[in-house]
Amino acid sequence: MATTGQDVPEVQAAAAPRRHERFDRLLVAATACPPLKTAVVHPCDEAALEAALEAARLGLIDPVLVGPRARIEAAAKALGADIGTQRLVDAPHSHAAAAQAVALAQAGEVEALMKGSLHTDELMAEVVRREGGLRTDRRLSHCFVMDVPNHAAPLIVTDAAINIAPTLEEKRDIVQNAVDLARALGIAPVRVAIVSAMETVTPKVPSTLDAAALCKMADRGQITGALVDGPLALDNAIDLGAARMKRIASPVAGRADVLVVPDLEAGNMLAKSLTFLADADAAGIVLGARVPIILTSRADSRPTRLASCAIATLFAAARREARARPEV
C-alpha cells in the first residue's frame, strides 16, 4: 500500500448507537402498571443485584431479595447501593434461595420470580417440583421477546430454552403461552407462525405435520386468541415479499408476531442468529407456572434486563385484569 512517508492514524467509523424502540415502548407501558412484587433469587453478584435495583428504581418491580445476607450486602456495598429499605430473606445458599423464593410465590407474597446469580437449572428444579413447586396444568415454556432492528414490533421466539423436543400436546401449550404473552404486550391481532424448513406439509418432515395439526387445533378452539398458520418457512413467516413470491395467501404469512420453532435447537440457533448477526436484543421469560419467571444472564445488556422485567410486569397485570373481569 502506498504511503506519504508519514504515519497515518487508522480512522474507524463510530458505531451507531444501539436503539431499543420496541423495548422502550414496553418499558413505558410497564411503568404505568403497579410494580410487580418479585422474588429476586440469589442476587449475589453486582450484575444481578444492580439489575433488580434498577428495575425497582424505574417502578417495574418491588424486589424481595432472597439469598445469603452477607453476600447480598457485599454486592450492594461494591455497587455503592443502599438496600436498607428492601426486604431481604436470608437463605444459606443458592438451592435454599430457590426453594425460599418458590415458597414465597406459593404463599402469594410475590407475583414473580427473577433469576439472580444461580444456574437456571437450580431455579427451575424448584419451580417444577411435583410437591411444593409452581406447576399448573399448562406446560412451562420460554419466550424470547426480541427487539430486532428494522422490524416494526417485538418478535416472540418460542421455545428456545426449556422444551428440548416437544410433543404435539406440549407444542399446543407452548403456542398458547406465547399467545397469552403477546396479548399482554398489546399485540392485536396476534399472528402465530408455526415455523419449519418449508411451507408445505410432508410426512418426511414431522414438524410440518405438527404445524398442520396445531392450525386445526386453533380452528377448533384448542388454541385461542390468535391467528395461527403453518407450516411456514422463516422467510415467508416474516417477510411479505417472500410470502407473495411463494403465493401464500394467509393473514399470518409475512407478518408473524410469534415464531414457534420445531425444537429447542432450532429456537436457540434462531435467537442467537438474530442476536449476534442482526444486532437484536432478547429479553426472556418463562410462562406456564403459577407466576412468571424472569430469566436473565450475566451477558444480558441493561436494556435486555429491564425489558425482561417490563414483560413480566405487563404479563402479570394482564392476568390480574383477566381474573378481575366478570365471567359472561
Side-chain angles (χ1 to χ4, degrees):
M1 183 173 65
T3 68
T4 61
Q6 296 178 334
D7 291 333
V8 179
E10 183 180 355
V11 177
Q12 294 182 339
R18 293 288 297 276
R19 303 191 64 185
H20 310 276
E21 293 96 336
R22 301 138 203 92
F23 280 179
D24 287 345
R25 290 196 293 269
L26 294 177
L27 289 174
V28 169
T31 54
C33 302
L36 182 64
K37 196 78 170 180
T38 302
V40 185
V41 188
H42 205 253
C44 294
D45 65 20
E46 295 172 42
L49 183 59
E50 185 177 33
L53 295 179
E54 183 166 12
R57 284 195 296 271
L58 293 176
L60 298 172
I61 67 171
D62 179 7
V64 177
L65 309 177
V66 185
R69 177 180 293 275
R71 292 185 62 187
I72 295 173
E73 289 177 344
K77 183 177 180 180
L79 287 171
D82 179 8
I83 58 171
T85 60
Q86 306 294 339
R87 181 182 175 189
L88 197 159
V89 177
D90 195 14
H93 47 68
S94 56
H95 291 292
Q100 288 269 30
V102 167
L104 290 172
Q106 285 178 323
E109 295 184 46
V110 298
E111 295 181 274
L113 306 182
M114 181 176 179
K115 175 180 171 290
S117 52
L118 78 170
H119 291 295
T120 299
D121 288 350
E122 289 183 85
L123 176 58
M124 296 310 297
E126 292 297 327
V127 170
V128 302
R129 190 180 296 279
R130 293 195 178 275
E131 297 296 329
L134 298 174
R135 285 174 176 263
T136 67
D137 293 337
R138 187 82 65 83
R139 180 79 178 183
L140 270 69
S141 62
H142 179 273
C143 289
F144 274 126
V145 181
M146 308 204 70
D147 186 338
V148 184
N150 302 319
H151 196 77
L155 187 64
I156 298 173
V157 176
T158 189
D159 180 344
I162 298 291
N163 295 284
I164 297 172
T167 64
L168 176 61
E169 183 178 11
E170 290 165 351
K171 285 181 180 180
R172 190 218 74 87
D173 284 352
I174 289 169
V175 174
Q176 192 64 65
N177 285 341
V179 170
D180 293 348
L181 175 60
R183 290 167 62 89
L185 300 185
I187 298 172
V190 179
R191 295 180 170 91
V192 178
I194 314 298
V195 179
S196 183
M198 59 196 68
E199 61 279 347
T200 54
V201 179
T202 172
K204 294 180 180 179
V205 184
S207 64
T208 67
L209 300 179
D210 283 355
L214 290 166
C215 292
K216 183 52 65 176
M217 287 179 171
D219 290 343
R220 298 291 168 83
Q222 293 171 268
I223 297 170
T224 60
L227 303 170
V228 181
D229 196 9
L232 290 170
L234 180 61
D235 57 347
N236 48 59
I238 59 174
D239 186 86
L240 273 172
R244 288 168 181 157
M245 188 175 296
K246 291 288 185 73
R247 298 182 180 177
I248 301 172
S250 162
V252 174
R255 44 191 154 181
D257 306 297
V258 178
L259 301 177
V260 180
V261 297
D263 54 33
L264 182 144
E265 289 179 306
N268 191 272
M269 285 185 278
L270 172 58
K272 286 183 177 176
S273 295
L274 290 171
T275 299
F276 290 97
L277 297 177
D279 207 27
D281 287 290
I285 187 171
V286 173
L287 303 173
R290 288 171 56 182
V291 300
I293 301 159
I294 303 164
L295 286 188
T296 58
S297 74
R298 295 177 186 177
D300 283 344
S301 65
R302 173 185 173 276
T304 295
R305 290 174 181 272
L306 294 177
S308 296
C309 294
I311 290 160
T313 298
L314 290 168
F315 181 81
R319 190 155 65 174
R320 283 195 299 269
E321 183 179 336
R323 288 171 178 167
R325 196 178 301 130
E327 295 185 8
V328 178

